[in-house]
Amino acid sequence: MSPARNSRRASAAAARTVVLGVGGGIAAYKACDLVRRLRERSLRVRVAMTAAARAFVTPLTFQALSGEPVLADLLDARADAGFGHLDLARSADLFLVAPATADLLGKLAAGLADDPVTAVAVAARVPWLLCPAMNVAMWRSPRVQDNLARLLADPDVHACGPAEGLLADGDVGPGRLAEVPDIVEAALRLLGPRDLEGVKVLVTAGPTREPIDPVRFLSNPSTGRMGFAIARAARARGAEVVLLTGPVELPDPPGVRVVRVVTAAELAAAARAELPRTRLVVAAAAVSDFRPRKTSKRKLKKEALGGREALELERTEDVLCALSEAAVGRDRPVFVGFAAETEDVVANAREKLRRKRLDLVVGNEVGRPGTGFAAEENEAVIVGAKGEPERLPRLSKAELAQRILDRAVRLLGR
Ligand code: CTP
C-alpha cells in the first residue's frame, strides 16, 4: 500500500464514528440531512435502518450521503458474513437513533434485536442518543413514556427532543423530530472534547501470564476492561493510541493499534519500543510481580515432584517504573499508574506516586463485591503530586476513563 493511502486509512480510522439507526417514521427524511450535517463536523456516519424506515427512504440514499454501506437487512447472509451489526456496534463512538419511533423505543427498552437498528443497539456499549419523533397521541401514551423512562434510567442513554409544533399529520404538540442542528450539537457534546488530537498515548492493560510449564502459569483475574476503556476514550478524544495488552477476551477497540503480549517481560519490551514520541502513559495492566525462576519445557508431573512442590519465584521488571526511569528531559511523558488496594488506598497510591515518579495514581479498593477486577463499575480516587485526592463517585469504567483523561489533559497543558 502506498504511504498516501496508508495515511488516508489512518485518518479514516481516527475519525469518530456515529452509528445512526433510522426508524420508520416520516421524519426519516430528516435523517438524510442529519447524515450530511454530522459529516460536515468530521464525523464518520454509518447507517442501520429498520424495514419500516426503508418504506420512507431507500438504503441507497443513505449510502450515497454517508459514503458507507448501509445495514438494511439483518438476515442478508452476504452482508459482512451476516455479522454486519456487530461490526457496526464495535466501530461506534456514539449510537444515535433518529427518528426513534414508538415501536423502536419499545423494542430498545425491551432489549429486542430483530432488525438492523435494535441488533446494533444491543451490542453497542457506547453512549446512546435517542431522538423521538411520532404523533402527539402516541408520544403521550403512558406505554411510550414508560419505555423511554426505562431507557433513560441508564446513565449512558440520552434523549434529544421531541420538539413541539405542527406535525406531519396535522396535529400540533410535542412529537416533531428535534431540529437537526440541535441533534448534531447533542451528539458532539456526548462525543466529548477532541483535546488529545495528535497525542501519542500508550496504555497497558490486562493481566500477564508467567509460565510454570507448558500448561500452567501464574496470573490474576484482570479482564483488561479498564485499560481498554482508557484506550477507547483516548481515541475518541483524538489520540494516536497504542494498547499493549496481556491475554484478555476483549476485541480490538476500533482505531487503536493493539499489541498482544503474554508475559511481563514481553510487555516491558513492547512498552520500551513504543516509548518514543509517547506523551501520555497510562499503566492499567495488572502485571505479575513475580515469575517462576525456572520454566519447565515439559509438563511437570505431580508424582515426579516428590516433596519438591515449592515454586521458586523471582521478581519481574516493573514496566511502569522502567518507562518512568527511561523517560528524561523535556519530552518526558505524563505518567498515570493504578493502585488496586484492599486497604489504605490513598496512602498506598501516594507511595506509588513517589516511588515510581508518576504524575497521577488512580487508587481503587478491590476485594469488595461489585468493584475492581472484572466489575463493570469502579469507585476510585485520583491522587496527584499536588492537591487533595479527588474522590470520584461510583462510575462506569468508560466514565472513569474520561475523568482520568480530563486530569491527564490538564497536566499535558492542553
Ligand atoms: N506495574 C507495572 N509493572 C509491574 C508492576 C506494576 O507496570 N511489574 C504498574 C501497574 O500497571 C500499575 C502500577 O504499576 O499502574 C501498580 O503498582 P505496584 O506498586 O506494582 O502495584 P502492586 O503490584 O499492587 O504492588 P504492591 O504489591 O507493592 O502493592
Side-chain angles (χ1 to χ4, degrees), residues 86-104:
L86 298 181
D87 178 51
L88 241 65
R90 266 188 223 115
S91 70
D93 293 299
L94 176 71
F95 177 60
L96 171 55
V97 184
T101 58
D103 178 66
L104 255 182

Side-chain angles (χ1 to χ4, degrees), residues 108-393:
L108 291 169
L112 300 185
D114 64 348
D115 65 59
V117 177
T118 51
V120 171
V122 169
R125 303 182 69 90
V126 291
W128 292 10
L129 178 59
L130 307 175
C131 306
M134 63 197 76
N135 159 273
V136 186
M138 292 172 87
W139 171 249
R140 289 193 173 134
S141 146
R143 239 70 66 204
V144 169
Q145 290 301 321
D146 189 42
N147 288 333
L148 186 61
R150 271 164 61 207
L151 284 160
L152 293 176
D154 179 339
D156 270 338
V157 176
H158 310 263
C160 178
E164 296 208 17
L166 180 64
L167 304 183
D169 50 31
D171 271 356
V172 177
R176 282 167 62 92
L177 186 73
E179 295 304 324
V180 168
D182 293 342
I183 299 175
V184 172
E185 287 313 313
L188 287 171
R189 254 199 317 282
L190 287 173
L191 284 163
R194 195 75 186 163
D195 49 11
L196 285 171
E197 190 90 62
V199 173
K200 181 174 174 188
V201 177
L202 181 60
V203 183
T204 71
T208 64
R209 285 182 186 171
E210 310 302 329
I212 299 168
D213 70 13
V215 295
R216 302 179 179 94
F217 52 78
L218 296 178
S219 193
N220 61 65
S222 166
T223 58
R225 284 204 202 123
M226 191 64 238
F228 275 61
I230 288 168
R232 257 182 182 281
R235 192 208 74 109
R237 291 166 84 143
E240 168 196 347
V241 184
V242 181
L243 173 62
L244 310 180
T245 178
V248 295
E249 290 182 13
L250 303 172
D252 290 5
V256 168
R257 185 148 57 83
V258 181
V259 180
R260 297 202 182 243
V261 299
V262 178
T263 64
E266 287 169 15
L267 181 65
R272 273 204 184 82
E274 290 297 342
L275 190 57
R277 286 198 305 110
T278 294
R279 307 292 311 124
L280 170 64
V281 175
V282 184
V287 186
S288 297
D289 289 318
F290 299 95
R291 67 173 159 241
R293 190 175 287 280
K294 284 200 204 96
T295 299
S296 171
K297 286 209 169 56
R298 294 211 196 124
K299 182 180 166 190
L300 298 172
K301 303 298 285 181
K302 48 188 169 304
E303 285 78 17
L305 289 174
R308 289 176 289 110
E309 288 89 356
L311 201 54
E312 230 191 297
L313 300 178
E314 63 186 14
R315 288 290 295 270
T316 56
E317 186 174 13
D318 189 309
V319 181
L320 183 53
C321 244
L323 290 180
S324 170
E325 274 165 22
V328 282
R330 249 175 3 109
D331 293 336
R332 182 181 164 79
V334 166
F335 283 97
V336 182
F338 276 76
E341 308 289 343
T342 51
E343 59 228 323
D344 298 333
V345 178
V346 170
N348 278 303
R350 283 219 168 93
E351 185 274 324
K352 276 168 198 170
L353 187 97
R354 264 195 307 275
R355 179 160 48 87
K356 304 192 187 203
R357 290 221 299 137
L358 307 178
D359 300 284
L360 297 173
V361 171
V362 184
N364 64 311
E365 202 173 300
V366 289
R368 278 184 304 132
T371 59
F373 286 131
E376 277 299 333
E377 293 188 315
N378 246 340
E379 225 173 278
V381 49
I382 303 184
V383 176
K386 286 188 229 137
E388 286 297 302
E390 182 185 1
R391 285 186 192 279
L392 299 174

